[in-house]
Amino acid sequence: MNSAMGDEARAWLLALVGMLLAGAASAAAEESTSIAKPGCQERCGNVSIPYPFGTTEGCYFNDDFYISCNSTHYDPPRAFLTGSTIEVINITVQGKLRIMQFIAHDCYNRSGAPVSSNTPFLTLSKFRISDTDNKFVAIGCDTEATIQGIQDVQGYISGCISKCDSIDYVDNHTCSGIGCCQTSIAKGVSYFELSVGSYNNHRGVWDFNPCSYAFVIEEKMFNFSSSYLRDLQDVTVMPMVLDWFIGNETCETVKAKGMRDACQGDSTCYNVDNGSGYRCKCLDGYEGNPYLPNGCRDIDECKDPNLNNCERMCRNTKGNYTCFCPKGYHGDGRTDGTDCVAIQSGSLVIQLTVGLGVGITALLAGSTWSFWAFKRWKLIKLKHKFFRQNGGLMLQQELSRRDTSTETAKIFSAEELEKATNNYDESRIIGRGGYGTVYKGTLSDGRIVAIKKSQIVDESQIDQFINEVVVLSQINHRNVVKLLGCCLETEVPLLVYEFITNGTLFEHIHNKSKASSMTFETRLRIAAETAGVLSYLHSSASIPIIHRDVKSTNILLDDVYTAKVSDFGASRLVPLDQVGISTVVQGTFGYLDPEYLHTSQLTEKSDVYSFGVVLVELLTGQKALCFQRSEEERNLAMYFLSAFKQDRLSQILEKCVVKEAKIEVVKEIAKLAKRCLRVKGEERPTIKEVAMELEGLRIMVKHHPWGNHDEPNLEEMEYLLGEPSLKLGSNAAYDSMKDHVILQVGNGR
Ligand SMILES: *[C@@H]1O[C@H](CO)[C@@H](O)[C@H](O)[C@H]1NC(C)=O
Ligand SMILES: *[C@@H]1O[C@H](CO)[C@@H](O)[C@H](O)[C@H]1NC(C)=O
Ligand SMILES: *[C@@H]1O[C@H](CO)[C@@H](O)[C@H](O)[C@H]1NC(C)=O
Ligand SMILES: *[C@@H]1O[C@H](CO)[C@@H](O)[C@H](O)[C@H]1NC(C)=O
Ligand SMILES: *[C@@H]1O[C@H](CO)[C@@H](O)[C@H](O)[C@H]1NC(C)=O
Ligand SMILES: *[C@@H]1O[C@H](CO)[C@@H](O)[C@H](O)[C@H]1NC(C)=O
Ligand SMILES: *[C@@H]1O[C@H](CO)[C@@H](O)[C@H](O)[C@H]1NC(C)=O
Ligand SMILES: *[C@@H]1O[C@H](CO)[C@@H](O)[C@H](O)[C@H]1NC(C)=O
Ligand SMILES: *[C@@H]1O[C@H](CO)[C@@H](O)[C@H](O)[C@H]1NC(C)=O
Ligand SMILES: *[C@@H]1O[C@H](CO)[C@@H](O)[C@H](O)[C@H]1NC(C)=O
Ligand SMILES: *[C@@H]1O[C@H](CO)[C@@H](O)[C@H](O)[C@H]1NC(C)=O
């Protein structure tokens, strides 16, 4: 621990020295703001040419980016794309290229004879017409215009029609179909041809509209005016936008081939739409040309109050900035943080600032020591505080009262768990849930454990939390993830569980490659085991243990698909409203008991409801995620219930369930799920009834693995199903089944 403190102190020292030197450093860091390679032409007439574009050999990235600057025929000079006749009027390093493109026209004289027309086209050997920036527009009152293009390798045609009788009805400033119509450009177009024609040779409208026009134009440059109907004859070109990018491969492919991408300095590579090329962009906090070495320059956020949220003082750092407070104040200095608060006199900071005046050397030595001592004292105090706050004293008492022969929860120290997880290393994270992070750790005795670190604590729940820790740590049931202990010295309690090898039920249901190997029988067994263990805990000796957060991500599986329910009562650690919120926000399947919205209480019957959802999930499998996507407002339970009602059950079932299970059996499970999902808690069955029915179904399926041809004896099936109806009351099979269930539950204790 001492070495950790040393590191912290060193970091603090460095920061202090950095502060003193900051002024000098920032003055020296002036960098050039050139947009082109050194010695290359930065402009061609009015157009600035940023690298990777360039006008002479060695100045551009490759031939795709060659700009020919024609100064012999034009003054000021004009820029053309790769030696073609396509004129370039603006280039941005963000990947846009503005060019001028000819417009199509079709004109007639008063008596309806054609005067002139054209069909301009544009062919790009590289780059694409931007579908987001451009529109195809046609203007005229007797006009039919088309754009024919090639998108990748296939052709496409689109267009629009505009007819009108009088200029009086033309909407000025809106291109809405009268006198002017428009349509979008397809994605990925590299070639197009425009043509425009008329139905009636502009007879009857000639007075105000002798010609039809069609063009592709940058949307934000276009504002229709009814005067265009008459006098667009002098206009021959319109501005439009191309998307440019480098190469024809993704960033990943380039890297995989062992080549360097074109991104330099503080920049990053990203793929354009379809992976047919890539671009570079400066990292957050930087701006400039990402294709040049040192092209991305740090943004000085402190210069622009819109870019920083410092209350008092701002210091620019590389790629970011920090706020700080003047002498005599403390806080983070952020308007969205703690601001700056005046320090009461006599505090440590004032003493330190006095020290500054005495001499920097003295200060550094002195302050390091006092910082270290202060921090150490504070840390010890903090640990005690957390331990008390987290109910440590209570737990210690509780544990010492019990007999020490049985294995109970252990109280781990903070250091022990830090060591086990390599100081909570990112690579040890095996899961992130609604209210915590789970790390994989190795204890000093070699045991592999899962360590759960919660995010927030509701202090009012601490008593119950401790109580449950004690109860849970004594439970040794094959379908419960064993709680080995906890650590209370940290701000939030850490829980230590046994490590389960094969991940969550959720993954096994929804991951295609895993789902296929989970048979119907296995699904049914997992359901039965889960219901069984919930039943066991609901009827546990001292207090009923309500799980409160039954969901497929809380059911873990070992390497032979044994269900291991985790996180019993762990939701105690979170204020309940947050459980609700996280359930909604995460867009899970809606496991939360609807009654909770009225009563704000989670009961045994809430577990039954959540279990019902898991049951549905097991039946619908991967399709569950699809409903979730298509039916945004409705949850899985409602979707399932409506499908069940409309007799569409087989449409929404997982493939293997349809294939392997008799529809009658599935219907029984569905009926059971339906009962679990009743809105009124009191109308739901107890989890014990549910467990018994599932166990009955399981036994039946096991002993009657019917093929599709082999009709079941319906009578026999009905009684094996164990509906708690009169018919079955004194049936031998039912009784023996019940025994079996009880037996299994008993085993767990
Ligand atoms: C260049 O810019 C000037 C002033 O902004 C403008 O008058 C001129 O028409 C522009 N030339 C070209 C070729 O765009
Ligand atoms: C400049 O443009 C004119 C007319 O388009 C063309 O004839 C000439 O070859 C061009 N010059 C260069 C250097 O590209
Ligand atoms: C090029 O476009 C950018 C962004 O739209 C604009 O800021 C810049 O002024 C334009 N440059 C020219 C020469 O039109
Ligand atoms: C229109 O053009 C046709 C053929 O070019 C010509 O015969 C006719 O006189 C023209 N009409 C007018 C009104 O100019
Ligand atoms: C539409 O606007 C243009 C200029 O903005 C104006 O000359 C014309 O008279 C207007 N037309 C109508 C029908 O309002
Ligand atoms: C088009 O121009 C008119 C007048 O110049 C203006 O009132 C209107 O807001 C503009 N519309 C758009 C979409 O820019
Ligand atoms: C990608 O570009 C390379 C070189 O520019 C070229 O040889 C290759 O044919 C292109 N591949 C495709 C799929 O266009
Ligand atoms: C995306 O790329 C694939 C293969 O390169 C192609 O078949 C597909 O048409 C492209 N889609 C679009 C929208 O460009
Ligand atoms: C800048 O620093 C703040 C606080 O340290 C952090 O929240 C933010 O993500 C950082 N921004 C960038 C661009 O790194
Ligand atoms: C599905 O499972 C396989 C095999 O364990 C794994 O490689 C893959 O990443 C998983 N897919 C998803 C989307 O989690
Ligand atoms: C559990 O994981 C192991 C190793 O990844 C694998 O071999 C085994 O098939 C998995 N078992 C199940 C039930 O997924």
Side-chain angles (χ1 to χ4, degrees):
M1 192 190 75
N2 281 1
S3 91
M5 293 310 306
D7 283 347
E8 235 181 302
R10 210 171 306 131
W12 189 72
L13 255 179
L14 285 177
L16 198 69
V17 173
M19 221 161 85
L20 297 169
L21 299 178
S26 73
E30 281 299 318
E31 272 162 1
S32 88
T33 55
S34 170
I35 57 165
K37 275 191 155 183
C40 292
Q41 193 177 341
E42 280 194 10
R43 307 189 67 82
C44 174
N46 284 1
V47 187
S48 55
I49 318 274
Y51 188 77
F53 291 90
T55 56
T56 47
E57 185 106 37
C59 287
Y60 44 86
F61 180 75
N62 65 26
D63 292 349
D64 300 332
F65 297 92
Y66 167 54
I67 299 284
S68 67
C69 188
N70 194 329
S71 51
T72 49
H73 278 68
Y74 306 102
D75 186 31
R78 291 194 190 176
F80 296 90
L81 191 57
T82 58
S84 67
T85 54
I86 303 168
E87 187 182 356
V88 175
I89 56 168
N90 192 352
I91 303 173
T92 69
V93 284
Q94 285 79 30
K96 300 289 180 191
L97 191 66
R98 200 170 280 134
I99 62 168
M100 292 309 251
Q101 166 58 20
F102 291 99
I103 80 176
H105 65 266
D106 180 33
C107 296
Y108 296 85
N109 74 8
R110 182 177 288 278
S111 51
V115 176
S116 75
S117 71
N118 68 344
T119 53
F121 62 88
L122 175 70
T123 312
L124 300 169
S125 59
K126 183 70 193 172
F127 308 155
R128 299 283 174 267
I129 287 136
S130 166
D131 58 307
T132 48
D133 295 289
N134 301 303
K135 279 272 193 260
F136 171 71
V137 175
I139 288 175
C141 268
D142 178 14
T143 302
E144 166 212 32
T146 60
I147 173 168
Q148 292 192 45
I150 294 184
Q151 182 230 25
D152 276 323
V153 288
Q154 58 184 346
Y156 94 104
I157 300 186
S158 180
C160 66
I161 292 172
S162 159
K163 288 204 70 162
C164 35
D165 296 333
S166 153
I167 198 166
D168 299 340
Y169 301 111
V170 175
D171 253 348
N172 228 351
H173 306 309
T174 57
C175 183
S176 57
I178 303 178
C180 176
C181 61
Q182 61 183 353
T183 183
S184 311
I185 306 279
K187 228 186 171 85
V189 173
S190 58
Y191 165 87
F192 68 73
E193 179 181 308
L194 306 176
S195 64
V196 61
S198 74
Y199 292 94
N200 222 354
N201 293 10
H202 286 253
R203 286 189 198 95
V205 297
W206 190 89
D207 283 341
F208 64 91
N209 178 224
C211 298
S212 293
Y213 304 98
F215 44 87
V216 174
I217 188 169
E218 183 177 1
E219 193 175 6
K220 62 175 194 255
M221 304 285 267
F222 181 61
N223 189 348
F224 175 66
S225 155
S226 57
S227 61
Y228 293 172
L229 289 168
R230 185 167 289 126
D231 57 12
L232 213 53
Q233 266 134 317
D234 304 331
V235 182
T236 56
V237 288
M238 292 284 190
M240 61 174 281
V241 178
L242 306 183
D243 288 328
W244 64 262
F245 44 83
I246 292 189
N248 54 13
E249 295 166 323
T250 59
C251 302
E252 293 77 24
T253 329
V254 172
K255 209 166 275 164
K257 284 184 177 172
M259 298 186 319
R260 262 194 62 87
D261 57 38
C263 307
Q264 307 274 343
D266 298 303
S267 74
T268 170
C269 179
Y270 69 99
N271 295 325
V272 297
D273 270 350
N274 202 7
S276 53
Y278 66 86
R279 286 189 206 122
C280 307
K281 65 170 181 225
C282 290
L283 298 175
D284 288 347
Y286 291 83
E287 65 185 354
N289 187 337
Y291 302 92
L292 289 173
N294 300 322
C296 291
R297 296 175 308 277
D298 177 41
I299 298 171
D300 189 348
E301 290 88 354
C302 294
K303 280 195 181 140
D304 182 348
N306 292 324
L307 293 179
N308 70 65
N309 53 8
C310 293
E311 174 71 17
R312 296 287 186 94
M313 298 168 96
C314 176
R315 178 167 51 251
N316 189 37
T317 61
K318 271 204 162 305
N320 211 336
Y321 65 95
T322 51
C323 304
F324 61 106
C325 294
K327 279 180 205 166
Y329 290 82
H330 70 91
D332 63 9
R334 304 174 79 94
T335 48
D336 60 351
T338 61
D339 281 4
C340 292
V341 183
I343 296 171
Q344 307 305 315
S345 63
S347 87
L348 185 68
V349 174
I350 298 272
Q351 285 165 30
L352 287 185
T353 42
V354 169
L356 245 181
V358 178
I360 281 178
T361 346
L363 167 86
L364 292 186
S367 61
T368 309
W369 181 84
S370 59
F371 166 82
W372 182 79
F374 175 65
K375 281 289 268 207
R376 191 186 152 89
W377 169 75
K378 239 174 84 174
L379 194 78
I380 292 170
K381 238 184 86 172
L382 207 61
K383 272 191 184 175
H384 282 286
K385 184 183 142 220
F386 287 145
F387 191 76
R388 265 199 315 275
Q389 175 183 316
N390 289 335
L393 299 177
M394 201 160 38
L395 185 62
Q396 250 173 0
Q397 236 170 34
E398 194 63 41
L399 292 179
S400 61
R401 264 213 327 243
R402 317 213 156 224
D403 79 65
T404 45
S405 62
T406 57
E407 204 187 336
T408 54
K410 181 172 175 233
I411 298 183
F412 292 90
S413 72
E415 286 93 34
E416 209 171 345
L417 297 186
E418 243 166 52
K419 219 162 105 195
T421 55
N422 194 12
N423 208 7
Y424 302 105
D425 195 81
E426 283 275 320
S427 66
R428 299 295 183 97
I429 295 177
I430 51 174
R432 269 187 232 269
Y435 46 81
T437 312
V438 185
Y439 297 84
K440 182 177 177 175
T442 313
L443 297 182
S444 48
D445 62 5
R447 264 189 305 173
I448 298 181
V449 292
I451 297 172
K452 175 160 186 164
K453 195 174 183 182
S454 308
Q455 268 157 10
I456 4 163
V457 195
D458 181 357
E459 280 188 40
S460 63
Q461 301 273 350
I462 284 291
D463 295 12
Q464 267 157 319
F465 163 67
I466 294 297
N467 208 343
E468 287 189 3
V469 167
V470 173
V471 174
L472 277 169
S473 63
Q474 290 173 319
I475 290 173
N476 202 0
H477 189 289
R478 68 187 287 266
N479 298 120
V480 175
V481 177
K482 190 161 171 51
L483 178 71
L484 302 175
C486 58
C487 169
L488 303 168
E489 292 173 355
T490 42
E491 186 175 5
V492 290
L494 298 168
L495 294 173
V496 182
Y497 293 95
E498 73 172 311
F499 183 76
I500 306 296
T501 47
N502 276 41
T504 67
L505 177 61
F506 181 90
E507 281 163 34
H508 284 263
I509 293 180
H510 301 291
N511 180 326
K512 215 171 182 170
S513 62
K514 288 179 178 165
S516 53
S517 53
M518 204 162 58
T519 61
F520 173 67
E521 235 189 289
T522 306
R523 286 164 196 261
L524 187 52
R525 181 166 53 77
I526 291 170
E529 281 177 349
T530 306
V533 73
L534 287 173
S535 158
Y536 167 63
L537 283 135
H538 282 187
S539 52
S540 87
S542 45
I543 43 161
I545 300 179
I546 303 171
H547 189 294
R548 294 153 51 107
D549 199 13
V550 177
K551 57 186 182 190
S552 58
T553 44
N554 275 343
I555 300 170
L556 306 180
L557 297 176
D558 71 3
D559 49 5
V560 291
Y561 291 117
T562 310
K564 302 267 187 184
V565 178
S566 76
D567 273 2
F568 266 99
S571 49
R572 285 262 183 255
L573 287 175
V574 183
L576 264 182
D577 46 339
Q578 246 149 34
V579 178
I581 288 164
S582 73
T583 312
V584 175
V585 171
Q586 282 170 19
T588 45
F589 295 119
Y591 298 100
L592 188 67
D593 180 1
E595 252 191 354
Y596 172 72
L597 298 177
H598 306 297
T599 61
S600 300
Q601 279 220 319
L602 290 178
T603 62
E604 283 104 321
K605 291 297 177 76
S606 308
D607 278 359
V608 173
Y609 184 90
S610 312
F611 177 77
V613 180
V614 173
L615 205 49
V616 170
E617 231 180 313
L618 277 164
L619 288 180
T620 54
Q622 294 165 76
K623 291 193 180 166
L625 284 173
C626 304
F627 317 146
Q628 200 63 14
R629 262 179 237 126
S630 56
E631 303 277 319
E632 267 158 31
E633 285 119 323
R634 299 205 289 170
N635 58 23
L636 181 58
M638 281 163 74
Y639 191 85
F640 170 80
L641 291 177
S642 80
F644 189 31
K645 203 164 152 194
Q646 295 160 15
D647 219 10
R648 290 191 290 115
L649 206 50
S650 58
Q651 280 172 29
I652 64 163
L653 294 176
E654 171 75 33
K655 261 194 244 119
C656 75
V657 173
V658 177
K659 221 164 51 197
E660 294 166 21
K662 268 280 149 199
I663 188 70
E664 286 83 357
V665 177
V666 175
K667 273 196 180 146
E668 284 308 318
I669 303 176
K671 269 193 224 159
L672 183 60
K674 188 176 156 190
R675 284 164 58 213
C676 293
L677 294 174
R678 284 188 182 137
V679 174
K680 282 206 173 131
E682 63 200 44
E683 291 174 4
R684 294 174 207 150
T686 63
I687 197 74
K688 191 166 175 182
E689 287 171 66
V690 176
M692 277 175 13
E693 286 193 35
L694 284 171
E695 197 58 35
L697 281 165
R698 222 192 112 198
I699 293 166
M700 188 183 64
V701 168
K702 211 167 173 174
H703 295 299
H704 297 266
W706 300 298
N708 277 336
H709 33 88
D710 200 0
E711 270 312 305
N713 176 343
L714 267 184
E715 212 173 281
E716 183 188 24
M717 190 179 86
E718 247 172 284
Y719 84 56
L720 275 165
L721 287 177
E723 272 274 341
S725 66
L726 291 172
K727 200 164 74 185
L728 298 168
S730 61
N731 192 290
Y734 180 66
D735 281 345
S736 73
M737 183 197 79
K738 208 157 79 180
D739 285 348
H740 177 96
V741 175
I742 291 165
L743 209 83
Q744 201 194 0
V745 169
N747 275 349
R749 299 199 178 196

